[in-house]
Amino acid sequence: MKGNIVTLRPLTLDDAGLLWDEIGDDPNTWRWVGSGAPMPTSDSDLRVEFERKINRQGAEYFAVIDNKTQKVIGSTAFLDIRPIDHHFEIGSTFIAPSFRGGNRNVEAKLLMLTEVFENRDGVRVTIKANAKNVASRRAIEKIGAKLEGLLRNQRLERDGTWRTAAYHSIIVEEWPETKAKLLHLLAK
């Protein structure tokens, strides 16, 4: 999936080293990513996590490439893919701190949502975040996803606490309005 700012391509094991070079052991990035997996402390740890992700059933992980620099600057994924239900989740998204801001994430989500609603017959996209992750929740709402509610004690986090997840969604009936909003944000 190629846009003007970013390109999304399938995640590879080699991306672990490239992303580690961009992010390192930044706790503000890894704190929110990992589905309870240990926090990576090296590119080898990240490679093990990427191997797990790449082999995960019902998911597709992508490297986020900055088109200007051609650097791998992050990752995102389709999760909980259920074709019979026409459902996709978008998640496990992170961008290297030096590339945050601008519209990279907005365009990545536009590419993914376009893929779901226009090419894969999707009718619902779920996007969830830790309820404490205010930055992610703002970003999710910025792209037009609607808050559905909070799911308390949704999963055990790597620090031993229970996560409350904020569930958001975009449904096919909202897609034209959401797409227009994303295109407007990108035009700024």
Side-chain angles (χ1 to χ4, degrees):
M1 293 175 268
K2 185 169 177 55
N4 294 319
I5 305 168
V6 296
T7 298
L8 306 180
R9 62 144 172 82
L11 188 69
T12 69
L13 292 179
D14 291 337
D15 293 329
L18 299 172
L19 277 167
W20 190 260
D21 290 345
E22 287 296 324
I23 299 171
D25 61 355
D26 175 45
N28 292 322
T29 297
W30 304 123
R31 171 182 183 192
W32 304 113
V33 180
S35 302
M39 191 174 294
T41 59
S42 67
D43 63 335
S44 297
D45 288 348
L46 193 55
R47 188 178 180 92
V48 168
E49 176 65 4
F50 281 9
E51 185 170 16
R52 184 183 69 81
K53 288 179 175 192
I54 289 167
N55 292 317
R56 183 176 170 180
Q57 295 296 311
E60 297 173 26
Y61 284 83
F62 302 97
V64 180
I65 313 297
D66 178 72
N67 288 345
K68 184 176 182 181
T69 64
Q70 291 301 301
K71 288 185 173 185
V72 178
I73 62 164
S75 179
T76 191
F78 288 138
L79 307 165
D80 193 22
I81 300 170
R82 297 191 321 263
I84 196 162
D85 296 323
H86 304 270
H87 175 269
F88 292 77
E89 179 182 335
I90 293 176
S92 290
T93 301
F94 62 92
I95 302 287
S98 60
F99 286 90
R100 291 183 190 148
N103 282 322
R104 290 175 185 92
N105 186 49
V106 171
E107 187 175 68
K109 295 306 182 279
L110 174 63
L111 293 170
M112 297 177 83
L113 291 165
T114 300
E115 178 67 17
V116 167
F117 290 121
E118 297 181 14
N119 299 326
R120 297 200 192 186
D121 198 29
V123 299
R124 175 188 167 83
V125 171
T126 300
I127 307 173
K128 59 190 183 205
N130 188 311
K132 295 178 184 176
N133 189 342
V134 176
S136 285
R137 291 182 65 186
R138 278 193 197 124
I140 292 166
E141 290 169 12
K142 178 181 178 180
I143 66 166
K146 308 282 191 281
L147 178 65
E148 295 184 320
L150 302 177
L151 188 60
R152 299 174 300 157
N153 290 357
Q154 181 255 338
R155 78 167 184 227
L156 187 62
E157 295 287 67
R158 63 171 60 102
D159 67 0
T161 62
W162 286 99
R163 166 178 135 152
T164 294
Y167 273 71
H168 300 77
S169 70
I170 300 168
I171 58 174
V172 69
E173 293 84 357
E174 299 163 346
W175 172 233
E177 179 184 343
T178 302
K179 183 177 183 179
K181 180 176 186 171
L182 292 170
L183 291 171
H184 177 75
L185 288 169
L186 289 170
K188 288 183 177 181

